[in-house]
């Protein structure tokens, strides 16, 4: 079990410059898209995070080969060896479900463990299944596995009853090799979706409406190889912008895309932080000790991202007043709050709302991480809590943040991995 120790204090400030890594949530579907062709896919700006190694393990099990050098990856599935994504891998990472669409489209068969729930909610996959059935797949659920078969997928019209990033990605990939035209409506607009579409188009897919809610795909017989750049991770960038605001420090972020961060930047500015766009790939955040409370409601992109909710709650513990944080995407995404209470935060939860009262000076304590973004919120809280904060089960952090301790140390944080 990984442990992180942070020595923080109430007047701690982060200062310096950091490089934002590639997006975890963009690279995962880009890797599973390699199942759609026998040619090689080359991806640049890969984040070296645990989830990337998990999906590459799955690709190997399916018969793929890959070569990872620094932050560049080539992956190729010349011949399939297995159609199965095991429970062990799916349990480790729900995004393994993103092999379902490509396996069905190229091989007509897929056996994927049901992801089950996780610390942030029930995580159903009904939208994935209904969409693939409409494309002609026959799907049964047996002994905790999704067994899917399809002689040939046929284009059709599908309207997602709610926005789902994963279902949008799975159905786009499946439709690329289906016979005829597929129209997908109510697609997710998260930047990771157009980044996937741009890769698929380079591979030869015929996709119209990239980045919009209605996407039209003309199926093709086969797809080829491609080289593609993964977009920067907007949640890592948002986390560091928030860290600058929280510690009223000064941080320059490079290799990021400010236009993916509009609502995060707006909320941080309303809270009192100063955020300057230095150029198309850099931002500078300057914090203020006079943080103002803000109400937020998480919603699909371009709304305020659910993946920033836990971090924003920490910021609001330092604002002078009461903030109402409403989580609308996942049904159980407040597990970080019990841990923040141990650090002295003043937060009450009523259903999907967290009422945060500030300013409360936090004090270091031993805590436990429950999921990726919850662990990020504990790191942020530890920076400004007086004394020592220990985060147990810190491996959650490694799933989505590349070298976060190194990046924070470079900004002045007293943070280290311990084996106590
Ligand atoms: C993606 O998860 C991200 N993961 C999540 O990031 C992110 O929080 C989420 O999108 C929302 O933005 C990756 O991209 C790998 P959804 P995904 O399908 O695709 C419900 C992180 O911390 N739903 O958009 O699994 C679902 O329960 C992770 O980086 C159904 O009801 O999320 C949720 O309430 C956490 N049926 C809502 O839709 C389905 O078939 C949005 O989920 C699918 C989803």
């Amino acid at each position: 079990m990984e442990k992180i120790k942070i020595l923080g204090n109430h007047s701690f400030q982060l200062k310096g410059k950091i490089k934002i890594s590639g997006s975890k949530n963009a690279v995962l579907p880009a890797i599973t898209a390699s199942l759609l062709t026998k040619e090689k896919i080359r991806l640049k700006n890969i984040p070296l995070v645990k989830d990337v190694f998990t999906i590459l393990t799955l690709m190997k099990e399916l018969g793929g080969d890959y070569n990872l050098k620094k932050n560049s990856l080539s992956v190729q599935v010349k011949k399939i060896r297995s159609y199965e994504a095991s429970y062990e891998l799916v349990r480790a990472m729900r995004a393994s479900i993103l092999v379902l669409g490509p396996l069905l489209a190229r091989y007509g068969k897929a056996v994927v463990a049901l992801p089950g729930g996780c610390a942030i909610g029930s995580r159903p996959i009904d939208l994935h299944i209904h969409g693939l059935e409409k494309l002609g797949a026959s799907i049964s659920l047996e002994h905790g596995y999704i067994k899917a078969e399809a002689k040939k997928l046929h284009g059709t019209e599908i309207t997602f009853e709610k926005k789902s990033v994963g279902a949008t990605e799975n159905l786009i990939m499946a439709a690329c090799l289906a016979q005829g035209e597929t129209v997908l409506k109510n697609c997710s607009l998260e930047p990771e979706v157009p980044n996937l579409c741009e890769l698929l188009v380079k591979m030869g897919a015929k996709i119209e409406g990239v980045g919009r809610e209605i996407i039209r795909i003309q199926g093709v017989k086969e797809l080829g190889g491609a080289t593609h750049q993964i977009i920067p991770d907007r949640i890592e960038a948002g986390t560091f912008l928030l860290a600058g605001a929280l510690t009223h420090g000064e941080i320059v972020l490079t290799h990021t895309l400010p236009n993916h961060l509009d609502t995060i930047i707006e909320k941080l500015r309303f809270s009192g932080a100063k955020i300057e766009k230095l150029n198309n790939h850099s931002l500078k955040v300057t914090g203020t000790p006079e943080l103002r409370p803000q109400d937020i409601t998480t919603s699909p992109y371009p709304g305020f991202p659910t993946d920033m909710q836990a971090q924003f709650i920490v910021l609001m513990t330092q604002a002078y007043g009461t903030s109402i944080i409403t989580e609308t995407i996942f049904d159980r995404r407040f597990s970080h709050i019990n841990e923040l209470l141990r650090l002295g935060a003043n937060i009450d939860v009523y259903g999907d709302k967290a009422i945060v009262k500030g300013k409360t000076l936090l004090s270091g304590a031993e805590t436990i991480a429950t999921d990726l973004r919850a662990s990020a919120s504990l790191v942020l809280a530890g920076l400004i809590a007086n004394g020592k904060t220990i985060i147990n089960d810190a491996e959650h952090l490694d799933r989505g943040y590349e070298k976060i301790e190194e990046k924070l140390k470079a900004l002045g944080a007293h943070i280290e991995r311990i084996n106590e």
Side-chain angles (χ1 to χ4, degrees):
M1 176 180 75
E2 300 280 337
K3 282 189 184 195
I4 281 181
K5 177 172 80 174
I6 300 171
L7 297 177
N9 64 70
H10 295 152
S11 55
F12 175 75
Q13 292 183 301
L14 287 171
K15 288 190 183 235
K17 182 188 279 193
I18 55 142
K19 178 181 178 296
I20 296 301
S21 300
S23 163
K24 161 182 89 82
N25 291 349
V27 72
L28 297 176
I31 290 172
T32 61
S34 65
L35 286 161
L36 291 166
T37 176
K38 61 183 182 307
E39 308 294 334
K40 190 174 282 189
I41 302 293
R42 291 180 176 80
L43 301 171
K44 296 187 170 25
N45 199 32
I46 301 287
L48 301 180
V49 295
K50 207 167 158 203
D51 277 9
V52 165
F53 296 104
T54 302
I55 200 88
L56 289 174
T57 303
L58 174 52
M59 295 302 291
K60 275 293 258 184
E61 285 188 4
L62 297 174
D65 283 313
Y66 69 85
N67 184 0
L68 181 59
K69 270 206 192 82
K70 287 212 177 104
N71 295 92
S72 293
L73 172 72
S74 63
V75 54
Q76 186 171 15
V77 186
K78 278 187 192 146
K79 194 170 172 340
I80 200 81
R81 195 172 52 237
S82 155
Y83 303 95
E84 181 170 330
S86 68
Y87 177 61
E88 186 197 353
L89 279 171
V90 174
R91 186 182 55 174
M93 185 186 63
R94 188 182 179 285
S96 307
I97 190 81
L98 293 172
V99 302
L100 183 57
L103 279 174
L104 260 183
R106 180 152 171 233
Y107 303 101
K109 190 175 172 195
V111 179
V112 178
L114 273 166
C118 70
I120 65 175
S122 46
R123 310 301 293 270
I125 53 163
D126 54 314
L127 299 173
H128 299 247
I129 290 175
H130 294 161
L132 292 169
E133 284 177 332
K134 287 196 75 172
L135 284 178
S138 53
I139 297 180
S140 60
L141 304 183
E142 295 165 31
H143 309 298
Y145 277 79
I146 305 156
K147 294 190 188 301
E149 290 193 350
K151 281 202 178 28
K152 184 73 185 150
L153 295 177
H154 298 281
T156 184
E157 183 169 304
I158 297 166
T159 300
F160 296 111
E161 65 179 276
K162 69 191 293 190
K163 285 210 166 15
S164 160
V165 175
T168 301
E169 292 167 341
N170 243 337
L171 270 297
I172 289 171
M173 290 191 279
C176 285
L177 293 179
Q179 218 147 27
E181 179 182 69
T182 299
V183 181
L184 300 175
K185 294 184 175 179
N186 198 20
C187 293
S188 289
L189 301 173
E190 275 70 2
E192 294 78 41
V193 177
N195 195 224
L196 171 64
C197 291
E198 283 147 18
L199 165 60
L200 293 167
V201 167
K202 286 178 186 172
M203 293 166 67
K206 297 198 178 336
I207 303 175
E208 284 170 36
V210 173
R212 293 215 288 273
E213 286 185 328
I214 298 180
I215 295 181
R216 285 174 191 282
I217 299 144
Q218 302 298 335
V220 294
K221 277 216 174 315
E222 63 178 11
L223 293 173
T227 298
H228 187 57
Q229 178 90 2
I230 297 298
I231 53 172
D233 194 309
R234 60 192 168 93
I235 304 301
E236 184 195 24
T239 303
F240 276 101
L241 285 176
L242 192 144
L246 179 70
T247 62
H248 45 94
E250 190 172 274
I251 307 176
V252 172
L253 280 63
T254 64
H255 298 79
T256 185
L257 284 176
N259 63 351
H260 287 171
L261 296 159
D262 290 347
T263 42
I264 298 170
I265 290 171
E266 188 176 287
K267 278 298 177 184
L268 291 176
R269 280 179 175 151
F270 286 162
S271 307
K274 187 174 158 211
I275 298 183
E276 300 157 74
K277 184 177 165 185
L278 304 178
N279 57 48
N280 286 340
H281 298 283
S282 306
L283 286 164
K284 179 176 167 185
V285 57
T286 310
T288 167
E290 306 298 320
L291 284 166
R292 296 189 291 267
Q294 289 297 314
D295 295 345
I296 57 158
T297 298
T298 64
S299 59
Y301 194 90
F304 191 89
T306 173
D307 294 346
M308 284 295 299
Q309 175 256 105
Q311 302 91 310
F312 201 82
I313 282 187
V314 175
L315 183 70
M316 290 298 101
T317 66
Q318 302 308 302
Y320 287 92
T322 300
S323 307
I324 302 174
I325 313 294
T326 307
E327 172 58 59
T328 68
I329 305 292
F330 290 108
D331 54 3
R332 267 198 327 272
R333 198 170 196 173
F334 283 147
S335 60
H336 41 286
I337 289 175
N338 285 334
E339 300 305 305
L340 295 175
L341 295 178
R342 290 179 47 70
L343 298 170
N346 181 347
I347 309 170
D348 291 304
V349 175
Y350 302 99
D352 63 355
K353 289 181 185 352
I355 316 298
V356 185
K357 290 190 174 69
K359 175 172 183 166
T360 42
L361 296 180
L362 304 182
S363 59
E366 181 142 12
T367 64
I368 188 157
T370 50
D371 63 87
L372 168 57
R373 307 303 172 184
S375 52
S377 74
L378 295 177
V379 169
L380 293 172
L383 295 174
I384 53 150
N386 228 14
K388 178 169 78 171
T389 295
I390 300 284
I391 302 171
N392 292 294
D393 290 0
E395 55 274 11
H396 286 287
L397 207 52
D398 303 327
R399 292 193 49 183
Y401 290 96
E402 182 179 8
K403 302 192 183 89
I404 191 164
E405 287 122 272
E406 280 174 46
K407 292 184 178 182
L408 285 169
K409 273 181 188 158
L411 298 173
H414 303 288
I415 179 171
E416 58 180 324
R417 198 82 40 148
I418 56 172
N419 299 311
E420 263 170 33

